[in-house]
Amino acid sequence: ASRVMVASRNYADFASEATFEIKPCDLHRLEEGPATTAVLTREEGLHYYKTMQTIRRMELKSDQLYKQKIIRGFCHLYDGQEACCVGLEVAIKPTDHVITAYRAHGFTYARGVPVREILAELTGRKGGCVKGKGGSMHMYTKNFYGGNGIVGAQVPLGAGIALACKYFGKNEVCLTLYGDGAANQGQIFETYNMAALWKLPCIFICENNRYGMGTSVERAAASTDYYKRGDFIPGLRVDGMDVLCVREAAKFAAEYCRAGKGPIVMELQTYRYHGHSMSDPGISYRTREEIQEVRSKSDPITLLKDRMINNNLASVEELKEIDVAVRKEIEEAAQFATTDPEPPLEELGNHIYFNEPPFEVRGPNQWIKYKSLSHS
């Protein structure tokens, strides 16, 4: 009871909001860019902190489960890049649309899928967000069109979603994400062209984490100014390690698209702490010191935490309590993900289409048939 008293007494002592100077974006074909100051309320700060910390812990738990051979197959972790998905999500509406590449766990959580469903999907269990049949690279929820396994393939799909947004006239936008490794794909430039011609409400977002698999951006791209790569499409280069920079840039880009001006390109300069995937130790092409330097100087969670404490938006104890609660949630989710049953074989053909009458699907040979149902 005394602890509750202390918390309620301290609550009045906190500031309700604070204003921060943030790094200006580099601009391409734009007269003016996003705001260079950002207001952060105490409530927002606590929400961003908890969300980023949850993603961080979820990814570290995924690493552990993978090393225990409980998660199998491909697994690409998002720790280090949390400010990107959180900053983008809080700047748009739930009715807006998001499609990304296969480093998708953070976006899946930011779009509203619970941790237990994400971890259960990773372990191939029935309680996973796509019933254990999608795994790490193929998670979906409403207005989230998944991680996509084929490099760059989600970019034309994202333009298709943006075309639907325009066609239905609902003033929605589509965030279409890809990595620096995919940025040299021909289909991306074809998509830029169509999106510009048709003035699609599409925000093309390059998450530049400095390495496409094991190749640094300097070795892979003649021009590393990814925000200028749209040529005739305006662009922004953003500090992707600062959740407030990402939020303000995404608000600006969403308003630009909603105003009917067509597409815009955003480059988020970020960094991944793990290797490209779990099969990559991540230190053969970069040093441990490089990773450590990024962690110590520009970690997105530490940056937000310091801002909040230094500006009296939260206390160290309060944030520690959030950390404890997050760890507990992750442990409980992992427990579920390791004990939930795997989906039965007869459900293998289910959920091929949404809202379709049942039909038969051929199995591994022509004599095996599975019934495909739309709803579980």
Side-chain angles (χ1 to χ4, degrees), residues 136-161:
S136 175
M137 296 197 283
H138 305 282
M139 297 182 182
Y140 310 92
T141 189
K142 188 163 176 59
N143 298 333
F144 177 60
Y145 305 81
N148 289 262
I150 307 296
V151 176
Q154 70 280 4
V155 178
L157 295 177
I161 296 163

Side-chain angles (χ1 to χ4, degrees), residues 36-253:
T36 54
T37 58
V39 175
L40 178 69
T41 66
R42 173 178 148 80
E43 195 179 340
E44 286 168 345
L46 292 172
H47 171 62
Y48 302 170
Y49 181 82
K50 183 173 189 285
T51 309
M52 289 202 286
Q53 195 66 278
T54 303
I55 294 166
R56 175 73 53 90
R57 291 277 150 209
M58 177 175 75
E59 296 299 59
L60 294 177
K61 179 55 74 175
S62 301
D63 170 85
Q64 192 186 335
L65 293 171
Y66 195 95
K67 286 169 178 165
Q68 293 169 347
K69 294 188 164 56
I70 295 167
I71 293 173
R72 292 176 175 267
F74 293 98
C75 186
H76 305 81
L77 302 181
Y78 201 69
D79 48 323
Q81 300 183 210
E82 296 90 350
C84 297
C85 64
V86 175
L88 291 169
E89 184 59 45
V90 298
I92 60 169
K93 301 171 184 173
T95 48
D96 289 322
H97 309 265
V98 178
I99 187 167
T100 188
Y102 41 72
R103 201 177 302 284
H105 310 162
F107 284 96
T108 309
Y109 179 72
R111 286 257 92 182
V113 177
V115 176
R116 58 187 271 141
E117 289 187 25
I118 295 171
L119 289 181
E121 190 54 46
L122 287 167
T123 57
R125 308 304 170 109
K126 201 174 176 180
C129 55
V130 280
K131 317 259 183 271
K133 292 182 293 189
S136 175
M137 296 197 283
H138 305 282
M139 297 182 182
Y140 310 92
T141 189
K142 188 163 176 59
N143 298 333
F144 177 60
Y145 305 81
N148 289 262
I150 307 296
V151 176
Q154 70 280 4
V155 178
L157 295 177
I161 296 163
L163 176 62
C165 292
K166 186 168 184 176
Y167 182 81
F168 291 118
K170 290 183 181 171
N171 206 22
E172 296 164 357
V173 300
C174 181
L175 274 57
T176 301
L177 291 111
Y178 52 97
D180 52 275
N184 299 315
Q185 285 261 334
Q187 59 188 330
I188 290 177
F189 296 94
E190 293 179 49
T191 305
Y192 285 163
N193 186 54
M194 293 169 86
L197 283 171
W198 297 344
K199 284 197 161 31
L200 300 182
C202 191
I203 306 173
F204 294 107
I205 303 168
C206 176
E207 284 186 290
N208 175 8
N209 62 22
R210 292 169 42 183
Y211 296 94
M213 297 186 76
T215 308
S216 68
V217 291
E218 293 80 13
R219 291 177 58 219
S223 166
T224 57
D225 291 337
Y226 296 103
Y227 72 113
K228 293 181 179 176
R229 293 284 205 91
D231 185 11
F232 37 80
I233 299 175
L236 303 165
R237 182 158 60 194
V238 185
D239 180 356
M241 301 301 268
D242 181 346
V243 70
L244 296 182
C245 281
V246 177
R247 184 190 75 182
E248 294 308 310
K251 279 182 183 171
F252 175 89

